[in-house]
Amino acid sequence: FAYPLLNLARLSFDETVDGGVLVETWSLASYRELLSDAFYGELTLNSLLIAIEASTAAMLIGYPVALCLYRTTSRWRGLLIVLAIAPLLVSSVVRVFGWLVILGDRGLINALLASFGLTAGPVRMVYNWTGVIVGLTEGILPFVVLGQLAGFGRLDRSLEDAADTLGASPWRRFRAITLPLSLPGLMLGWMIGFIISMSAYVSPRLLGGGRVFVLAT
């Protein structure tokens, strides 16, 4: 694990000549170009914003799912966890093309909106920032749920039962006990989603339609 990271760090000090060939040396030329070019700054900012938005959305969507899976005593718990991560069995490219069909101008969502008379024309949900966030959120959701499950170790049902016995309302019990104890899981899931989103290529490239630029693209 450490060797490829150290090797990549070493390569960052090489110089690039015509044709993209790396010349082995010790130089800060690449770092000077990175810091002085506004385009790289824009790409970095776009990547950060997309990663923050997608990982936050996945964290909020996945939290009730992970909490339910963690608490359930059903004999089908293992199957339910498998179902939660089942999207990983399908290629990310295939899933993105599925979102193109669902979110497209003539897709399922626009057809429903038009049938209820809610829109006069198609709502653009692909080849823009919105499409990238939707596709990326769905893509990282299984990882976020698994991360949250792994971080719920401090969650103790007996403390919630004690709060019930003392007359706490469900909202107060959640706010004072469940949420603070599950914060490590929330943050772990968010961090995993953020890391994956920062390096995502397929969703920004296809759902962005060449209009959303990030570091990976």
Side-chain angles (χ1 to χ4, degrees):
F1 174 77
Y3 176 75
L5 293 180
L6 293 173
N7 188 49
L8 184 62
R10 168 65 188 87
L11 289 174
S12 70
F13 292 99
D14 292 344
E15 286 191 353
T16 306
V17 296
D18 293 340
V21 179
L22 282 176
V23 177
E24 187 173 341
T25 183
W26 289 94
S27 170
L28 295 174
S30 297
Y31 288 97
R32 283 195 296 267
E33 182 181 357
L34 176 67
L35 296 175
S36 61
D37 193 330
F39 183 61
Y40 286 120
E42 181 184 351
L43 296 183
T44 303
L45 181 60
N46 286 346
S47 298
L48 284 171
L49 290 176
I50 284 177
I52 290 172
E53 290 181 21
S55 55
T56 302
M59 178 189 71
L60 296 176
I61 295 171
Y63 181 60
V65 177
L67 197 60
C68 179
L69 291 174
Y70 183 80
R71 284 176 166 174
T72 183
T73 56
S74 170
R75 61 177 178 172
W76 304 107
R77 182 176 184 269
L79 177 61
L80 293 173
I81 293 177
V82 170
L83 289 176
I85 63 174
L88 297 179
L89 298 173
V90 181
S91 165
S92 59
V93 177
V94 174
R95 282 185 282 150
V96 166
F97 275 110
W99 280 115
L100 287 173
V101 173
I102 294 172
L103 301 176
D105 290 350
R106 298 183 178 179
L108 175 64
I109 294 180
N110 270 310
L112 289 173
L113 292 175
S115 65
F116 287 110
L118 299 176
T119 56
V123 179
R124 294 301 303 272
M125 291 179 285
V126 291
Y127 307 136
N128 54 23
W129 192 279
T130 301
V132 173
I133 296 299
V134 171
L136 200 52
T137 299
E138 186 270 336
I140 65 174
L141 190 57
F143 298 101
V144 172
V145 170
L146 286 177
Q148 290 176 340
L149 282 172
F152 282 170
R154 294 176 57 193
L155 206 55
D156 189 349
R157 188 59 185 267
S158 64
L159 296 177
E160 295 176 317
D161 293 338
D164 285 336
T165 304
L166 294 172
S169 65
W171 166 244
R172 186 177 182 187
R173 181 189 65 193
F174 173 79
R175 180 170 52 85
I177 296 176
T178 307
L179 183 59
L181 292 179
S182 59
L183 275 179
L186 277 174
M187 294 309 301
L188 178 59
W190 187 90
M191 288 172 61
I192 292 174
F194 178 84
I195 292 169
I196 297 174
S197 301
M198 274 295 293
S199 60
Y201 174 81
V202 175
S203 292
R205 182 68 185 87
L206 298 181
L207 288 170
R211 296 180 177 88
V212 179
F213 299 100
V214 293
L215 285 171
T217 56

